[in-house]
Amino acid sequence: MMKKLSADNTVFSFSKDHEPVMFIDSGETIEVETVDGLSNQIRKESDMIDSLDWDRVNPATGPIFVNGAEKGDTLKVTIEKINIDIQGVLLTGPGIGMLGDELTEMTKKIVQIKDDKVIFNDKLSFPITKMIGVIGVAPEQDEIPCGTPDSHGGNMDTTIIKEESVVYFPVRTEGALLCLGDFHGAMGDGEICGTGVEIAGSAVLKVEVIKDNEIDHPIVKYGEGLSFIVSKETLDESVKEATKQAVHYLANNT
């Protein structure tokens, strides 16, 4: 029987000091449940934004200890299936994202999921694009909040981390300590207005350890695509390092 991890096992940072809540072997397939990116705090119209606990934003389920994973290995995570709830929520406001300077107050929108579409209102609906916003392993040094991307993964918020994608992470600590959450029913790359369709769900994952195969940043394979995800302080720094990672990888593997 497939192991299943409940969304009750929530953390708000990636850390080598977190106690594992599940132990698995390399090659196992598991199902991981998650709450939405707001910790399910807004589920109905009467739930007020003013009462939102911002310390509970971007939760992840885990950590999952992968037996045999050690520093210098690579953790391979194949996303076999993503299931999402029947409703989600969008949230934005002043100072958030690219349009934050045009907004004067926080606003929310609860949307339904029906027939594989997001029902925004009577006039507008659009196809779901299920993806995982937060996924990663424990960093070697200090803990990193789930809302922050770095070389361990974290809040990468890219639409290519979806069903049938394979994500590779650099293992920095014993057991890797895999965590994931922040699912979206739909989202633009980079979440430029602060949120996507924040939604609870579950993911079926096959997790494998590739021994003695060190990488520096996450790599994603999807269809015929291969992407190198690098998160730095500036876009220029990120592009430069991602280009180096891609060139070195291709030089050594083709």
Side-chain angles (χ1 to χ4, degrees):
M1 180 180 293
M2 187 191 310
K3 291 179 181 176
K4 190 171 185 177
L5 183 59
S6 166
D8 293 335
N9 299 283
T10 298
V11 294
F12 294 91
S13 65
F14 288 84
S15 172
K16 65 182 184 300
D17 296 323
H18 287 326
E19 289 294 327
V21 293
M22 175 183 278
F23 291 80
I24 65 173
D25 292 326
S26 176
E28 266 196 84
T29 299
I30 59 174
E31 183 175 5
V32 181
E33 296 180 339
T34 69
V35 294
D36 70 27
L38 304 175
S39 291
N40 292 353
Q41 294 182 77
I42 297 181
R43 298 290 298 169
K44 53 187 183 297
E45 293 298 339
S46 59
D47 291 333
M48 304 301 294
I49 298 176
D50 291 346
S51 62
L52 192 67
D53 183 352
W54 292 96
D55 289 334
R56 295 171 58 200
V57 169
N58 282 318
T61 303
I64 300 161
F65 188 103
V66 186
N67 296 326
E70 301 173 301
K71 183 180 178 182
D73 296 339
T74 291
L75 193 71
K76 176 184 178 182
V77 180
T78 302
I79 304 169
E80 296 187 350
K81 181 72 174 176
I82 298 174
N83 304 297
I84 58 173
D85 198 359
I86 59 172
Q87 76 168 35
V89 61
L90 300 94
L91 184 74
T92 193
I96 298 177
M98 298 300 172
L99 300 177
D101 59 338
E102 297 187 15
L103 302 174
T104 58
E105 61 183 7
M106 295 294 297
T107 183
K108 70 176 188 292
K109 176 73 175 180
I110 295 175
V111 295
Q112 303 303 311
I113 309 298
K114 185 177 181 180
D115 298 328
D116 289 335
K117 291 185 178 181
V118 177
I119 311 301
F120 191 81
N121 57 31
D122 292 341
K123 296 181 180 180
L124 175 64
S125 65
F126 46 90
I128 59 173
T129 52
K130 299 180 290 184
M131 49 78 64
I132 299 174
V134 170
I135 183 169
V137 296
E140 184 176 10
Q141 303 299 330
D142 297 336
E143 68 177 351
I144 299 176
C146 286
T148 302
D150 208 320
S151 60
H152 71 294
N155 191 24
M156 295 179 286
D157 270 338
T158 172
T159 55
I160 61 175
I161 300 181
K162 58 186 179 179
E163 284 184 349
E164 301 183 2
S165 292
V166 181
V167 192
Y168 299 85
F169 297 99
V171 177
R172 302 280 172 72
T173 189
E174 185 181 6
L177 301 181
L178 174 68
C179 300
L180 63 146
D182 189 34
F183 289 12
H184 299 95
M187 191 198 77
D189 256 328
E191 213 174 36
I192 61 172
C193 284
T195 62
V197 178
E198 308 297 324
I199 200 161
S202 67
V204 177
L205 313 170
K206 183 177 181 180
V207 183
E208 302 169 84
V209 177
I210 303 175
K211 298 298 295 182
D212 301 319
N213 185 82
E214 191 166 8
I215 60 176
D216 296 321
H217 298 270
I219 301 171
V220 184
K221 288 185 178 180
Y222 52 101
E224 296 182 354
L226 182 66
S227 289
F228 298 80
I229 300 180
V230 174
S231 302
K232 296 287 187 180
E233 287 294 323
T234 70
L235 179 59
D236 287 348
E237 290 177 293
S238 299
V239 170
K240 183 175 182 178
E241 182 60 28
T243 302
K244 287 184 177 181
Q245 293 293 319
V247 169
H248 294 162
Y249 177 92
L250 294 172
N252 293 324
N253 292 277
T254 58

